[in-house]
Structures are given as structure tokens and as C-alpha cells.
Amino acid sequence: MIRLLGRHLMNISQTIGEMLKLLVQTLYYFKEAPRNRAAIFRQLADIGIGTFPITLLMALFIGMVLALQTGSSLAFYGTQNVIGSIVGLSMVKELGPVMTSLLVAGRVGSAMAAEVGAMEIYEEIAALKTLEINPVRYLAMPRLIACLAAVPALVVFAIFVGVAGGAVVSKVNPKINVPYGVYYDSLVSSLEYMDVCKGLLKATVFGGIIAQVGCYVGFKTTGGARGIGRSTTRSVVLSFLLIFIANYFLTRLML
């Protein structure tokens, strides 16, 4: 058991070290971003525009369900007028960044791992090295920049839609029956500028995690078509885990 535990700890330490090394290399090639504008814009379109509709749909129902559950409980005590602040703060500080990042990790992060993994399996990355094209600059850097920009932008739209969905439910549900004006007055009175900044900072960190995990797992892919499938699953699981861990520590630091 001790040997098994030690082996797992060594594997975890090696993975962390390799991911940090990849991050440093990717950040180093940020200076090449102007020469890789086309690749960055392609990734932005795939991440941002491709994920936009489902993000709005997810945010709408999250805001509606949050208002429905919270409003019903608050109405029991006659304090439903504060539902705007509860829905708004929840969407801005937690649900918006976390749920949007999980959605992007499931849709985009897995695709990154599969695409880069397929290139590794079929020796396209080796061909890039033969042509003296650095794979980190060509593959990882555009994806990281795109995720750092696209995920916070998606979170902004998710927050607006989630808050609007909560307002509609708060108004039309007879048990809650909070007017739109009261809802938004409660929201504005409790929401501060720093709350929005903290939520967007979380989204930026989560976006970086998604891109780095997807590229790292893709570079480490082995074993043919089955290996690509394993890498896709590993990318999603690892991204989810790191997002939850990062969310805890970021929340602790921002209190």
C-alpha cells in the first residue's frame, strides 16, 4: 500500500511539474501572438461563438431555478424582496464563472485534447518539429489566449441572462411575486464593482486551466484511437477537478 501510494504521489507530482513547464513555455510564446492572429481568432470563434448559445440556455435555466428555489423559501418568511441580491451575487461570484467554465471544459477542453492527441498519434506533431515549428507556439499558445479571452466574455453574458431569468420567475411566480423594480433595486444595492471583478478573475483562471489541461493531455496521448478516447475523458475529469480546487482557493483569497 505504501508503494502504491508513493507511486500515485510521484505520478501526481510529475503531472503538476509537466503542466507548469508547459504553462511557462506557453507564456513565453505569448510574444508571438501577433504573428498567430489567424489561429487565435479561429480558436476564439470555436470557443466563444460555438459555446455561446448553449451557455445562454444554461444560464437562463440556472437563474430561473435559483430564483424559484430561493424565492419560495424567502416567501415563507416574507423576505422575498431580497431575491434579486441573492440571484445576482450567486451568478456573479459562483454559478456564472463555475458553470460556464465546466460547460467550456466539457465541450472545448475535450475537443482540444482529442485534436492535439490525434496529431500526436498520427505523428503530425513530429512533422511540425521536423519543419522547425514549435508545437507549443503553434498549438498551445493560441488556445490559451483564446480561452483567457473567451471564457470571461461568456461569463458576462451568462450573468446577464441568469439574472434576467431570475427576474422573470420572481415576477410571474405567484408565490414570489416580486416586481421587476424591486428585484433590480435589491440587485444593485448589494452588488459591488469588485464582486464583478472577482467573478471575471475566476473565469480567466478557469479558462487558463481548460486550455492547459486540454493541450497537456493531448501532448501526452498514446495508444491509437483508444488512447484518444482516454485522453478526452481524462481532460474533462482533470479540468473539472482543477476548476473546483481553484475555485475554493480563489474564493478563500477573495474573502
Side-chain angles (χ1 to χ4, degrees):
M1 289 181 63
I2 295 176
R3 270 200 304 268
L4 182 62
L5 179 61
R7 190 180 304 116
H8 282 303
L9 290 176
M10 289 294 295
N11 290 336
I12 292 173
S13 301
Q14 181 178 355
T15 299
I16 293 173
E18 291 174 345
M19 289 185 65
L20 289 176
K21 179 182 177 181
L22 177 61
L23 176 61
V24 171
Q25 292 174 340
T26 307
L27 293 176
Y28 172 79
Y29 284 109
F30 269 27
K31 63 182 181 180
E32 302 290 336
R35 296 173 51 191
N36 293 267
R37 292 190 301 271
I40 294 172
F41 287 138
R42 281 197 301 270
Q43 294 298 323
L44 278 171
D46 184 37
I47 299 169
I49 299 175
T51 317
F52 186 71
I54 192 171
T55 299
L56 297 189
L57 186 63
M58 175 204 68
L60 176 64
F61 281 96
I62 287 177
M64 293 170 67
V65 171
L66 183 61
L68 188 62
Q69 294 278 11
T70 307
S72 299
S73 300
L74 292 174
F76 181 79
Y77 298 99
T79 57
Q80 64 268 33
N81 288 343
V82 300
I83 188 174
S85 62
I86 295 176
V87 174
L89 289 173
S90 299
M91 289 298 302
V92 169
K93 299 176 73 172
E94 287 297 327
L95 292 177
V98 173
M99 296 305 296
T100 302
S101 299
L102 294 178
L103 180 62
V104 174
R107 180 189 175 274
V108 178
S110 60
M112 287 183 185
E115 182 180 358
V116 177
M119 295 181 69
E120 179 69 33
I121 292 295
Y122 298 113
E123 299 184 352
E124 294 180 35
I125 293 180
L128 291 176
K129 294 178 181 178
T130 302
L131 296 173
E132 296 184 353
I133 299 175
N134 189 286
V136 176
R137 178 185 65 80
Y138 186 75
L139 297 173
M141 182 269 291
R143 286 166 170 78
L144 179 57
I145 292 178
C147 276
L148 291 176
V151 175
L154 289 171
V155 168
V156 171
F157 288 104
I159 291 171
F160 277 110
V161 173
V163 170
V168 172
V169 170
S170 300
K171 173 62 177 176
V172 302
N173 190 290
K175 293 183 178 180
I176 306 173
N177 193 25
V178 174
Y180 293 123
V182 175
Y183 180 93
Y184 284 107
D185 286 343
S186 173
L187 171 64
V188 172
S189 64
S190 61
L191 189 62
E192 298 180 356
Y193 174 75
M194 286 305 300
D195 294 328
V196 179
C197 292
K198 290 174 182 178
L200 295 181
L201 176 60
K202 283 187 176 183
T204 304
V205 174
F206 298 159
I209 289 174
I210 293 167
Q212 285 302 108
V213 170
C215 293
Y216 169 77
V217 173
F219 284 133
K220 292 295 181 179
T221 301
T222 58
R226 181 173 294 181
I228 296 174
R230 286 196 300 265
S231 292
T232 303
T233 304
R234 184 185 179 198
S235 171
V236 174
V237 173
L238 188 56
S239 295
F240 280 22
L241 180 62
L242 291 179
I243 286 172
F244 288 131
I245 294 173
N247 183 52
Y248 170 79
F249 285 105
L250 289 172
T251 302
R252 183 68 182 84
L253 291 172
M254 292 175 182
L255 289 178

